[in-house]
Amino acid sequence: MTTLGHLINGVRVDDATRTQAVYNPSTGEVASRVSLASQATVEAAIEAAQAAFPAWRNTPPAKRARVMYRFKQLLEEHAEEICRLIGLEHGKITHDAKGELQRGIENVEYACGVPELLKGEHSKNVGPNIDSWSEFQPLGVVAGITPFNFPAMVPLWMYPMAIATGNTFVLKPSERDPTSTLYIAELALEAGLPAGVLNVVNGDKEAVDTLLDAPRVQAVSFVGSTPIADYIYGRASAHGKRCQALGGAKNHAIVMPDADMDNVVDSLTGAAFGSSGERCMALSVAVAVGDAAADALVTKMRERLATLKVGPHFDESNDFGPVITQAHQEKVCGYIDSAEAQGAEIVVDGRGVQVPGFENGFYVGGTLIDRVTPEMTCYLEEIFGPVLLVVRVDTMQEAMTLIDDHEYGNGTCIYTRDGEAARYFSDHIQVGMVGINVPLPVPVSYHSFGGWKRSLFGDLSAYGPDAVRFYTKRKTITQRWPSAGVREGAQFSFPS
Amino acid sequence: MTTLGHLINGVRVDDATRTQAVYNPSTGEVASRVSLASQATVEAAIEAAQAAFPAWRNTPPAKRARVMYRFKQLLEEHAEEICRLIGLEHGKITHDAKGELQRGIENVEYACGVPELLKGEHSKNVGPNIDSWSEFQPLGVVAGITPFNFPAMVPLWMYPMAIATGNTFVLKPSERDPTSTLYIAELALEAGLPAGVLNVVNGDKEAVDTLLDAPRVQAVSFVGSTPIADYIYGRASAHGKRCQALGGAKNHAIVMPDADMDNVVDSLTGAAFGSSGERCMALSVAVAVGDAAADALVTKMRERLATLKVGPHFDESNDFGPVITQAHQEKVCGYIDSAEAQGAEIVVDGRGVQVPGFENGFYVGGTLIDRVTPEMTCYLEEIFGPVLLVVRVDTMQEAMTLIDDHEYGNGTCIYTRDGEAARYFSDHIQVGMVGINVPLPVPVSYHSFGGWKRSLFGDLSAYGPDAVRFYTKRKTITQRWPSAGVREGAQFSFPS
Amino acid sequence: MTTLGHLINGVRVDDATRTQAVYNPSTGEVASRVSLASQATVEAAIEAAQAAFPAWRNTPPAKRARVMYRFKQLLEEHAEEICRLIGLEHGKITHDAKGELQRGIENVEYACGVPELLKGEHSKNVGPNIDSWSEFQPLGVVAGITPFNFPAMVPLWMYPMAIATGNTFVLKPSERDPTSTLYIAELALEAGLPAGVLNVVNGDKEAVDTLLDAPRVQAVSFVGSTPIADYIYGRASAHGKRCQALGGAKNHAIVMPDADMDNVVDSLTGAAFGSSGERCMALSVAVAVGDAAADALVTKMRERLATLKVGPHFDESNDFGPVITQAHQEKVCGYIDSAEAQGAEIVVDGRGVQVPGFENGFYVGGTLIDRVTPEMTCYLEEIFGPVLLVVRVDTMQEAMTLIDDHEYGNGTCIYTRDGEAARYFSDHIQVGMVGINVPLPVPVSYHSFGGWKRSLFGDLSAYGPDAVRFYTKRKTITQRWPSAGVREGAQFSFPS
Amino acid sequence: MTTLGHLINGVRVDDATRTQAVYNPSTGEVASRVSLASQATVEAAIEAAQAAFPAWRNTPPAKRARVMYRFKQLLEEHAEEICRLIGLEHGKITHDAKGELQRGIENVEYACGVPELLKGEHSKNVGPNIDSWSEFQPLGVVAGITPFNFPAMVPLWMYPMAIATGNTFVLKPSERDPTSTLYIAELALEAGLPAGVLNVVNGDKEAVDTLLDAPRVQAVSFVGSTPIADYIYGRASAHGKRCQALGGAKNHAIVMPDADMDNVVDSLTGAAFGSSGERCMALSVAVAVGDAAADALVTKMRERLATLKVGPHFDESNDFGPVITQAHQEKVCGYIDSAEAQGAEIVVDGRGVQVPGFENGFYVGGTLIDRVTPEMTCYLEEIFGPVLLVVRVDTMQEAMTLIDDHEYGNGTCIYTRDGEAARYFSDHIQVGMVGINVPLPVPVSYHSFGGWKRSLFGDLSAYGPDAVRFYTKRKTITQRWPSAGVREGAQFSFPS
């Protein structure tokens, strides 16, 4: 069995004092082991990144971009292997892994445009013969800490832009499914990144804390759960660092009475159950306005769920795969138990689903729960499983208040044909990413990703234009030249 | 004797349980007293701001801008009174107060452009018939905490942009010279701000901590010393808030051998001694490259200092006035003592200066200290007084290393005629605001103000374009309309 | 009777060889006479503008902006007099003149933001140690030629931005109502424009051709009818000039079956009859989809028209005033005659309207014509009078084809509640300014104004961001500094 | 011998009624023949482009960009063959062809960023509950007409951006060296452009006039000589089209007395003689300030010219190759004759150069002419050959006046170490592209290319950000939704 190490200064490094099992959730078996970096190992990675910084920040942006073009090519050429590795350790079906990778590649594409994106602001004559301009210079060493649910995409939200803008990077991916992440990082080196520009350390809290505390790490990007995001933001800030920390979500869809219900069911199905609901943008609560809409929704959704197929990652006929660990499987089922106990109606029950031949896999079947109320545990917390809750309300305002009162503010959606309802909703709702008839309103790579309330701590969102600003610091130069120089001939007017 | 209160929800409020003396530093007398707000008073201000928020964020930006146009007019009309109040409590000479106010007005002008500045990014067809756009929505209630040295300007760095972008504001100005700040805030209300949109609370640590801890305060802007900035950034961040905290400075000017020495002396004089050196952008260290440059600089500077006139704020023939308090006067003189004790050469000595008729004023004369070395106390710490240090080095690289090794990275300057030296310096120096033959490279209002290293904590700089982003949060909307609606005639093609 | 002259180099100049009557259309009487500038007079204005250019282009943008702030104040202070002058010569009711002036002031406000708007693009390290940036420099002397229908607003679309970006200007306003235009230009000088920066010449084709042919005029902005726009664009371009020439319009509103009909009637009334329909954005054709919508529209519109009041400009109870001249009055009535002759149904007939006490005024009453078809003269041509045509179609696509087939493409509108219909319409319609439930979709001052097809000739629209680019030329500077200069000590390392 | 046809609607089309010889200038032999398109053939290309437009403009920008990524890859993979074809028909040495191609590829890279570049401006609440945004929509069919001197690069300045922004394109390349252009266009199709999106027609004036006159062609981009640019701009504009027409140049370098003369000679050599001087950015006039500088320059330049090697394109040891035709060879030599006759000093004479084995090639040797004066023919006209003129002046101002008085204003350069001289020069010189110690200041692909005066007719420069605006038209949408819709429950609150 292989033990996965780290990638420091361009080479694979082992630091196998402490290791941890990585599972194949489709089968429930241990797939490999991963090293958990010590503080010294993480500091070696920081040192490598620091050493690589001066030359890399001096490399013209257009040359840095050229590495990104090659990286994109390599990602496309190795897509099949990447998706296989994602599926193996995460459990998501190949078609879903392809979607994840494609989204990641789009972030690399955005990084290709860095010469345009890094343009500073130039002002002529801020005073008489005085010019001033602002440049956006890289920070130095920056760190990224990423979750298990998108082992390819979320790291690609971070380091392509961080590196393209001139920084060097230390990535700490999830220890649950690190192989695809490391494989992709090696492709980035193959694309032409000098050694030390991108480093990967596998690890746990020790690695994280080392990154948060290290004086040479200038900024930290994090994606994960809200309690950890809160911790990371506080600790990194206490050290005077920049930090953007993205946390959890509870994304609601409002189903208005005028919604096209077939469209609702089609698109909600993917948004709620795709990737087993292990997405921070998963649509996990449908808020039906009026009982007529609720009844129609539940009826059609129940029919649809009957056709959903759960199973191992490599079988493309499956709609979704297992959840990440046995512990998480139990936790998800526990939420369904609590809903039942607290009086909700379990319309379709995914507990105890059996996948023949994969009895030890961490499967939960698609679950639909009606008549959920806001004080139920299943409503208050993020389930991160293939479970769709239905809440019934009487008015759109009531639905919006529900959403605004929730701790999280990541994504939300409204289903309607009505321009006014859509505009009112998108203007006033306290959520950062809003869909109008779009249940997974993940911004494209040339916009930025960010929730509101306790779904994001920090000033700036992830990837896209905000990433340029997060990974650079403004330098403003004001310039005046004294006269009486060569122009007036002081040095050359006398005959010689 | 008047006791200055607060401005909450559009009215002056007294909360005189605890008060503190405000001095006239030109005479050394107590000018008035200021209330120190209790937690309850600060919370009342936050409550007023919260209540005013919904209507104000719905007010079209062009209407909000119109208040700023009127505010600018009022500031210009009341300039004389404002400058008198600044001088009275701060001690700066009227011509200097006018400069401060003018800079503040320029920030109001920038806020007039908010309809342009708030433009979001619109993308057609991010997918087939799917559009996406990003809006920049206000945060809610935001707070500003400002220092004594620019009682008019620094608050105007903050609230015009915060308010123009749709937020409501609670300002905690310095308790040393609050009168002009409050006067200006009342002009903002007179210009048309609805009650509660701008609130001012006078106070001390209790007020500050209340703002940092209050859940309804979404963001904090701070300008002051680095230890406090560090504290504020950590505490605000621990509550999940946005924070930008600007701290201290030690701004160096490199004097190159090819510099136009008359220009150096002229511009350094203002930059070092103007406003008694109580500016975070004051040029307090001259680094001369080569002894020839150093000798010429010291000789000419000594001559120039002989002509500098210190005295009370209202006499426009004075070059600069007193420092803010007696304690600060003693602290500045203590730095000169330490320099002497540690072996530097006191070329011109401002200790014990006497201003006839104002013997109790807090005066320190212009001081020039040569042969300062990097380990001296006067070099390591921010003096914030009319004291210019001269450090002698042999090469430009040595000068740059000195600057980069210092804790602060606010402003810096190089004097040279050489294009290459200027470009190398401005590219590589680890300082946020760089002057080329400009000793006070304060960015104009349409750029942004921000130091590096321990001179600023946060992602985004103060005022200018960065302020738009600091005071707003991105909301990204993705929109797709289901077809088969009115366009295809579903609703109307039958009976006709 | 006064004869209005020109404003050249800061002074009023008479050139009364040729003059022309200016009418008061409310009474039909001659109000004054206007000089028609000779070629020599126009060349004197160009000469004055050329002479003023070097100093003005060197004036820092922030100082140029400050003139605009004062100009805005003066326009607000003199609003009443300006509106009186507009009404007197144009005939529009005071409330309408106020609206016009407000829109014009908003363009001055936009020009206040010119320091931000003129920012160039700065790129560090386009190659190793090579920087490059683009500046937007003024063109020199530029000219504006403006129509009678907005004597205040359309000139303010042009010269505030042209001047704020550093150009000097020669304006040739309409000879039908030049007094308010000249009055406003004098306020601009009073606000602080140096002599020669803004010049006004009254005149006719001789003046226009002189501007088009003069080598020192770098660019021409024109607003008027399409045949003249076509002529101007061709002739200015033949001389190698930049030109933007805005022409006529035939703006259609599609009334969908799901439209809120009360809202349609309310807003269409203002859009069709306001300012007697003498607006290039007047809504002159309502295209009803389905006979039910058409019948409802015609019925309600007929009722509404019964309440509309036409009369002299100074009576604020009037809804609209006379048209500009007797000839135009006859032309508008001729279109109604032709509609009748070609088989349309004259639902409300404004021909022969009498305004007691103002029998010689150039009045046409509000007119509604139903069952208009696309080949009728009244449909093909721009009427520029208080006449609303109704065309009946069966489908939305038919309505869109009608619009796309028309020669003009200035403005258009759809009335619907349906998000999909609105999005499809706004995406595909071949018109530059599109309203969704907004019948007069004139872009705000921080966007730009421009029609499509034969409604605008040129690359760039009027006012707003496009104006910055139209009135400036890009200069790109690429900079590399040779090393071995003062930085390496070449000049100072030797014995000292 | 092959006869090169056209590329229309995705297939090669022959139209061989009229053909013309294409030469191999290295040998003087005919290499192939090219078809000259009839009006009907050009109209077929326009028809194909028009037919392809609706689907292409509806293709999401990100998908259009993806074709550009693949196009870049194909260009890199086929670089060798492209450079061979360029050399064969143009005569430039392979290393020079590689440089040209690289610059062209950089324009394709810029087009990859089109999703970012096409972002419109979105304004929330331009009025109460009214939103407005501007989109940049493609024009339709646009045409490009390109010169012989950069058969790969100049077409790539145009169609990648035109197509990426959603237009379809008809290219008319130079008939002197069309093969590489056509080859590259086929790679663009291979990359995924649908048939009809990019069409190439070979031809002469008949083809050009057909493009200028065709109503369906919305815009024309041209690069060539000034008389033709003037003609094209006038004729296209007379048809109401957008046009940008780039013409000739006479690029001066000022050599200041403080310049690093070795750097001057090194960089001037490439800039004056590279590609035989057949570049619109060739540096063809050196203006030496002071006789000392002039003498040093001429002495060193003479030495350097002795080492320059001219010869056939395929021999990479050559510095430059032949000129394009025998007629052009004679014209260039005629300019040298005239300089001699008018009193200039022929320091190095390239007339009558012999290249052994290639006696019939169209060679002119590197030529240096001193003591040129502004009234000489060789100074007034563009030579477009390997000829460097030296003009001697006494002051920098005199040098600048010389440049400003010349008809052209494409590129220019100053050699100095002095920051003030460089800033003054770049600010005031009437030239669009300015180098500071950079003799060929061609803007990088993410800035834009454009001369001033008679070097460019039009508002907007070529490629880069200006290309986005040139190839799109602004559409501004203003949206208000009537209330009382589904949000208020009008449709669903009653039981049904």
Side-chain angles (χ1 to χ4, degrees), chain A residues 57 123 134 233 241 263 417 426-427 429 432 434 436 447 452 466 469 474-476 478 480 483 485, chain B residues 57 123 134 233 241 263 417 426-427 429 432 434 436-437 447 452 466 469 474-476 478 480 483 485:
Chain A
R57 66 84 79 192
S123 293
S134 292
Y233 188 69
K241 290 186 178 23
N263 176 45
R417 321 184 68 87
S426 70
D427 185 17
I429 201 72
V434 181
I436 297 173
H447 285 254
W452 285 13
D466 273 16
R469 199 64 192 79
R474 185 184 280 264
K475 180 182 269 186
T476 303
T478 306
R480 191 179 72 84
S483 62
Chain B
R57 65 85 78 192
S123 293
S134 291
Y233 188 69
K241 290 186 179 22
N263 175 46
R417 321 183 68 86
S426 70
D427 185 18
I429 201 74
V434 181
I436 296 172
N437 300 303
H447 286 254
W452 285 13
D466 273 16
R469 198 65 193 79
R474 185 184 280 264
K475 180 183 270 186
T476 303
T478 305
R480 190 179 73 83
S483 62

Side-chain angles (χ1 to χ4, degrees), chain D residues 273-354:
Chain D
F273 304 107
S275 206
S276 310
E278 291 174 324
R279 295 167 172 162
C280 64
M281 286 296 275
L283 212 312
S284 53
V285 186
V287 187
V289 178
D291 274 324
D295 292 344
L297 174 68
V298 169
T299 302
K300 281 174 181 275
M301 206 76 204
R302 183 197 295 118
E303 290 163 13
R304 185 57 173 278
L305 270 169
T307 72
L308 276 190
K309 196 177 155 209
V310 59
H313 68 92
F314 52 78
D315 179 352
E316 292 234 32
S317 74
N318 288 322
D319 292 295
F320 61 95
V323 298
I324 187 71
T325 58
Q326 189 172 351
H328 190 54
Q329 181 192 35
E330 288 160 9
K331 188 175 169 194
V332 172
C333 292
Y335 280 120
I336 307 173
D337 297 344
S338 78
E340 195 166 33
Q342 291 169 13
E345 181 184 329
I346 312 297
V347 181
V348 180
D349 188 348
R351 289 171 294 188
V353 71
Q354 286 294 327

Side-chain angles (χ1 to χ4, degrees), chain D residues 326-412:
Chain D
Q326 189 172 351
H328 190 54
Q329 181 192 35
E330 288 160 9
K331 188 175 169 194
V332 172
C333 292
Y335 280 120
I336 307 173
D337 297 344
S338 78
E340 195 166 33
Q342 291 169 13
E345 181 184 329
I346 312 297
V347 181
V348 180
D349 188 348
R351 289 171 294 188
V353 71
Q354 286 294 327
V355 179
F358 299 89
E359 285 74 9
N360 295 324
F362 312 141
Y363 297 99
V364 181
T367 299
L368 180 68
I369 310 182
D370 193 8
R371 301 190 187 276
V372 170
T373 56
E375 61 288 344
M376 292 182 184
T377 309
C378 68
Y379 178 81
L380 292 168
E381 300 181 9
E382 186 176 24
I383 297 178
F384 229 59
V387 181
L388 177 64
L389 313 182
V390 176
V391 181
R392 292 163 175 247
V393 297
D394 289 330
T395 66
M396 177 170 153
Q397 188 56 58
E398 200 181 332
M400 287 178 64
T401 302
L402 208 61
I403 295 169
D404 284 347
D405 286 348
H406 205 285
E407 169 186 21
Y408 299 117
N410 218 41
T412 190

Side-chain angles (χ1 to χ4, degrees), chain B residues 71-87 94-102 105 152 180 183-184 187 316:
Chain B
F71 186 27
K72 168 183 151 72
Q73 273 181 248
L74 291 172
L75 288 169
E76 288 169 344
E77 288 168 22
H78 296 78
E80 200 173 336
E81 176 63 3
I82 294 168
C83 292
R84 192 186 68 79
L85 294 172
I86 295 172
T94 308
H95 51 68
D96 194 20
K98 281 180 191 161
E100 169 182 359
L101 179 58
Q102 177 53 31
I105 290 174
S180 62
Y183 182 88
I184 288 173
L187 293 179
E316 292 235 30

Side-chain angles (χ1 to χ4, degrees), chain D residues 195-220:
Chain D
V197 169
L198 173 62
N199 306 277
V200 183
V201 289
N202 286 301
D204 54 8
K205 190 168 186 301
E206 181 173 342
V208 167
D209 286 351
T210 304
L211 290 170
L212 298 178
D213 298 350
R216 290 179 301 189
V217 172
Q218 305 295 324
V220 176

Side-chain angles (χ1 to χ4, degrees), chain C residues 410-458:
Chain C
N410 219 41
T412 190
C413 165
I414 189 169
Y415 286 103
T416 185
R417 321 184 69 86
D418 187 272
E420 200 268 340
R423 198 271 181 191
Y424 183 87
F425 175 73
S426 71
D427 185 17
H428 289 283
I429 201 74
Q430 292 298 305
V431 172
M433 295 176 283
V434 180
I436 297 172
N437 300 303
V438 172
L440 282 180
V442 181
V444 288
S445 64
Y446 42 105
H447 285 253
S448 295
F449 185 105
W452 284 12
K453 291 186 286 185
R454 289 178 61 79
S455 290
L456 183 149
F457 302 94

Side-chain angles (χ1 to χ4, degrees), chain C residues 124-366:
Chain C
K124 195 68 169 284
N125 283 330
V126 297
N129 299 316
I130 304 176
D131 303 332
S132 192
W133 67 94
S134 292
E135 303 179 354
F136 295 93
Q137 295 201 349
L139 306 176
V141 180
V142 300
I145 301 166
T146 56
F148 79 85
N149 59 334
F150 288 104
M153 182 182 77
V154 173
L156 291 175
W157 284 6
M158 297 176 183
Y159 68 76
M161 280 303 291
I163 285 172
T165 53
N167 301 281
T168 55
F169 205 89
V170 180
L171 173 67
K172 211 278 325 151
S174 170
E175 66 275 25
R176 304 244 175 260
D177 51 6
T179 302
S180 63
T181 314
L182 207 60
Y183 182 88
I184 289 173
E186 289 181 319
L187 294 179
L189 297 188
E190 188 183 333
L193 287 184
V197 169
L198 173 62
N199 307 276
V200 183
V201 289
N202 286 302
D204 53 9
K205 189 167 188 300
E206 180 173 342
V208 167
D209 286 350
T210 304
L211 290 170
L212 297 179
D213 298 350
R216 289 179 301 189
V217 172
Q218 305 294 325
V220 176
S221 295
F222 171 82
V223 174
S225 71
T226 287
I228 309 297
D230 200 356
Y231 168 80
I232 298 236
Y233 187 69
R235 186 155 177 169
S237 298
H239 287 292
K241 289 186 179 24
R242 294 187 180 202
C243 185
Q244 56 180 189
L246 283 69
K250 194 79 177 183
N251 305 312
H252 299 60
I254 300 183
V255 182
M256 293 292 283
D258 71 337
D260 174 335
M261 201 58 75
D262 290 326
N263 176 45
V264 172
V265 170
D266 272 3
S267 66
L268 261 189
T269 301
F273 304 107
S275 206
S276 310
E278 291 174 325
R279 294 168 172 160
C280 64
M281 286 295 276
L283 213 311
S284 53
V285 186
V287 186
V289 178
D291 274 323
D295 292 344
L297 174 67
V298 170
T299 302
K300 281 174 180 275
M301 206 75 203
R302 183 197 294 118
E303 289 163 15
R304 185 57 173 279
L305 270 169
T307 71
L308 276 189
K309 197 175 154 212
V310 59
H313 68 92
F314 52 77
D315 179 352
E316 293 235 31
S317 74
N318 288 322
D319 292 295
F320 61 94
V323 298
I324 187 72
T325 58
Q326 189 172 350
H328 191 55
Q329 181 192 34
E330 288 160 6
K331 188 176 169 193
V332 172
C333 292
Y335 280 120
I336 306 172
D337 297 344
S338 78
E340 196 166 31
Q342 291 169 14
E345 180 183 330
I346 312 297
V347 181
V348 181
D349 189 348
R351 290 172 292 189
V353 71
Q354 286 294 325
V355 179
F358 299 91
E359 286 75 8
N360 295 323
F362 311 141
Y363 298 98
V364 180

Side-chain angles (χ1 to χ4, degrees), chain A residues 110-180:
Chain A
Y110 193 70
C112 291
V114 81
E116 175 73 18
L117 300 170
L118 274 181
K119 279 179 181 172
E121 308 181 318
H122 186 271
S123 293
K124 194 68 170 284
N125 282 329
V126 298
N129 299 315
I130 304 176
D131 303 332
S132 192
W133 67 94
S134 292
E135 303 179 355
F136 295 93
Q137 295 200 350
L139 306 175
V141 180
V142 301
I145 301 165
T146 56
F148 79 85
N149 59 334
F150 288 104
M153 182 183 76
V154 172
L156 292 175
W157 284 6
M158 298 176 182
Y159 67 77
M161 280 303 291
I163 286 173
T165 54
N167 300 281
T168 54
F169 205 89
V170 180
L171 174 67
K172 211 288 309 159
S174 170
E175 66 277 24
R176 303 244 177 260
D177 50 6
T179 303
S180 62

